[in-house]
Amino acid sequence: MNACLKNSNLWAHVKILKLTTNMRVRLQNDDSGQTFSDQLLAIGNGKLPVDSISGRIQLPADFCNLVTSKNELIEKVFPNILKNYKNNKWLSERAILAPKNIDVHEINNIVLTKIRDQAVLYKSVDTVLEPNEAVNYPSEFLNSIDLSGFPPHVLQLKIGVPIILLRNINPPKLCNGTRLAVKKKQWKT
């Protein structure tokens, strides 16, 4: 604990800054984006009313549309996906966020089955750098690890499907989080 920044002599000279302006909303001059941003802040700051029976917060009526299944969610976010999935503008206006990788993989698989192109499977190459450690970390174990920010061991792609870049390749053009679309498939021989 004595090595932390707050116990350092430098702490007295640190100026704490707080982010107060949502720059994405400000730059896009979007009133609905500002409303959504304000609602998210209210949720995060605990300012929404709590239902006395269930103990859950009550979301504003215009906050979101509730659905009963993942298929219904996909249909609402990506209507007529078979017709529109190669339209980059249409795709750039849509996204489904999920808190767990297992949900992300399931939603991705449902969307991929709706697209009638042939899928290509790409597998990661997981090896241990130290040969002596191969006994402790077999490739089967390494392939089973599903970490946030890393692609799955088996990545299934089709032409036109959206993907998100996970690593900076050519900043500022190709940075972590950039949304792209698959244009060509290549098989490794």
Side-chain angles (χ1 to χ4, degrees), residues 36-47:
F36 185 69
S37 175
D38 293 341
Q39 290 171 335
L40 284 179
L41 282 173
I43 292 169
N45 292 331
K47 294 185 178 177

Side-chain angles (χ1 to χ4, degrees), residues 7 20 22 26 34 36-37 59-60 62-63 67 69-70 91 104 113 120 124 148 170 176 188:
N7 287 337
T20 58
N22 186 325
R26 185 173 180 192
Q34 183 61 53
F36 185 69
S37 175
L59 296 174
D62 62 342
F63 182 72
V67 294
S69 69
K70 289 178 183 168
L91 275 177
V104 171
T113 59
V120 176
S124 65
S148 180
N170 184 16
N176 178 20
K188 186 177 179 183

Side-chain angles (χ1 to χ4, degrees), residues 159-175:
I159 298 287
V161 297
I163 56 175
I164 295 179
L165 189 62
L166 296 178
R167 296 284 176 262
N168 293 340
I169 294 177
N170 184 16
K173 293 179 183 176
L174 293 175
C175 296

Side-chain angles (χ1 to χ4, degrees), residues 69-161:
S69 69
K70 289 178 183 168
N71 279 318
E72 185 182 354
L73 173 66
I74 292 167
E75 224 15 77
K76 285 206 183 256
V77 175
F78 299 108
N80 300 317
I81 191 166
L82 195 55
K83 178 181 153 203
N84 294 309
Y85 77 95
K86 289 188 179 180
N87 180 338
N88 291 335
K89 182 174 179 356
W90 182 83
L91 275 177
S92 70
E93 298 169 349
R94 291 159 170 74
I96 296 175
L97 303 177
K100 296 183 178 177
N101 284 346
I102 191 165
D103 296 318
V104 171
H105 299 320
E106 185 178 348
I107 290 169
N108 285 345
N109 288 333
I110 293 169
V111 170
L112 278 172
T113 59
K114 294 179 182 288
I115 296 171
R116 292 189 188 129
D117 193 18
Q118 180 185 0
V120 176
L121 299 179
Y122 297 96
K123 293 185 177 182
S124 65
V125 178
D126 299 322
T127 58
V128 179
L129 296 177
E130 294 293 327
N132 299 343
E133 292 293 323
V135 174
N136 297 329
Y137 303 103
S139 59
E140 294 81 11
F141 168 72
L142 296 173
N143 295 342
S144 71
I145 299 174
D146 190 15
L147 298 173
S148 180
F150 286 91
H153 168 59
V154 177
L155 184 62
Q156 182 177 231
L157 296 175
K158 293 182 179 184
I159 298 287
V161 297

